[in-house]
Amino acid sequence: MPALNSTSIRAGGVVSTTENTLTASDTFTWNAQIPGAILILRNGTAGALSPVITGSLAGTAIPVNGFGTVSAAAGIAVGSIPAGQSRVIPLDSRREFLQGVITVTGGTGIVATLLQY
């Protein structure tokens, strides 16, 4: 279970990124107190892949105004990423799902870029 290396974008300007090729199960850390982190998943394989991002401490009863409670324990189903396409996930928008140790599964061969301030 390799850990993803992140790229700091704190300095601004043009930044060289660190790319990580995913295996069956990879982890990464994210400081939710620092806004603006982005995870980019690019499928360079020959077929579609459907990764899932799960936080080990994601809540099972999160109150949502006007809706009731929802569970984030199953993680974020990114959906199918066809060969040659990418998905961008602003981590702030999914913070309830990303508590604890964050694991990406189902994405063997995807190239991940984690950008953080």
Side-chain angles (χ1 to χ4, degrees):
M1 188 175 344
L4 302 182
N5 294 307
S6 66
T7 297
S8 174
I9 55 175
R10 184 180 314 268
V14 177
V15 177
S16 296
T17 60
T18 301
E19 294 184 330
N20 306 269
T21 301
L22 299 182
T23 63
S25 180
D26 301 88
T27 62
F28 69 91
T29 57
W30 168 59
N31 183 346
Q33 303 305 315
I34 302 173
I38 297 171
L39 178 64
I40 302 168
L41 302 176
R42 179 176 51 84
N43 185 356
T45 71
L49 294 171
S50 299
V52 176
I53 305 168
T54 309
S56 64
L57 300 176
T60 57
I62 301 167
V64 177
N65 286 337
F67 186 76
T69 58
V70 296
S71 175
I76 302 165
V78 175
S80 179
I81 305 174
Q85 292 192 15
S86 300
R87 297 293 182 263
V88 176
I89 301 121
L91 299 183
D92 295 337
S93 70
R94 300 309 207 121
R95 70 178 58 250
E96 293 84 6
F97 292 83
L98 304 174
Q99 305 297 313
V101 177
I102 304 164
T103 305
V104 182
T105 57
T108 301
I110 284 179
V111 175
T113 304
L114 178 58
L115 305 173
Q116 301 188 77
Y117 283 94

